[in-house]
Amino acid sequence: MTEGLARKRRTPRVHRLCSTCAPIVCFALFSGAGAAQAGTAWEMFVARCLDPFEHQTLPIVDGLAPHPIDQMHEARRVYGPSAEGYLLVLDAAPALGDRACAVEVPHAAPSQDAQAWQEAQIATGRYVPEGEWLMSNEWIEPRVMMRAEQSDARTLYAVVETDLES
């Protein structure tokens, strides 16, 4: 019976500890400490599109408002703009693969970070050039393709999950 009383006395301490930690965790999650928060379009693309596709999970649209459905194409969904003015575009039926995710930036040049990332991926053999795309090498299945493209009107970072196997 003494053991039962000792357990009852310890229980409130655990609950007090959890109740004091919970607000800190909630504050961290809602204050922008999440992985989907980003300052540059490249960082947003990596956090919301590239990393999820490389880990075979869904893109992250949390915190971005969807555009009205009547403004969407059949398989495309547009979210945003983010606070920085970037759009996130999801395509469930892209021409080149099974699904796609892109971040579009009006009137911007590709990031130096994006170019450095691409060069590093090619140098390590993790991705290989395939036309205008970089194709994941044999470390992931299904393979993913990534590209950064620039026109006078926009910069686009895109990733596509293919139906190709290693």
Side-chain angles (χ1 to χ4, degrees):
M1 189 116 140
T2 335
E3 190 178 315
L5 287 174
R7 279 191 207 145
K8 284 184 181 179
R9 288 184 186 152
R10 279 186 251 157
T11 304
R13 288 184 193 150
V14 171
H15 291 302
R16 246 184 260 132
L17 177 63
C18 289
S19 64
T20 57
C21 292
I24 295 168
V25 171
C26 289
F27 176 76
L29 288 173
F30 292 110
S31 68
Q37 293 283 330
T40 68
W42 172 251
E43 291 168 344
M44 180 177 172
F45 170 71
V46 170
R48 293 181 178 266
C49 297
L50 187 59
D51 280 348
F53 273 52
E54 286 184 346
H55 291 94
Q56 299 175 342
T57 61
L58 296 174
I60 301 169
V61 297
D62 298 345
L64 295 175
H67 282 215
I69 199 72
D70 62 339
Q71 295 177 9
M72 307 274 186
H73 299 288
E74 290 176 18
R76 296 183 76 173
R77 298 292 177 257
V78 179
Y79 295 85
S82 67
E84 300 84 1
Y86 314 140
L87 295 176
L88 182 80
V89 181
L90 303 180
D91 192 343
L96 295 176
D98 290 338
R99 63 187 180 122
C101 182
V103 171
E104 185 176 316
V105 188
H107 306 293
S111 163
Q112 296 295 331
D113 291 339
Q115 292 171 354
W117 180 88
Q118 290 178 36
E119 291 169 5
Q121 299 305 307
I122 292 168
T124 62
R126 195 162 185 251
Y127 281 79
V128 293
E130 186 120 349
E132 297 178 358
W133 294 85
L134 290 182
M135 174 79 73
S136 62
N137 214 343
E138 298 180 6
W139 58 271
I140 187 173
E141 212 171 88
R143 297 174 77 182
V144 294
M145 300 185 317
M146 179 276 167
R147 77 174 174 180
E149 74 177 48
Q150 181 184 5
S151 69
D152 291 338
R154 69 181 179 150
T155 293
L156 181 76
Y157 300 111
V159 63
V160 176
E161 181 181 272
T162 71
D163 57 359
L164 302 174
E165 296 179 1
S166 297

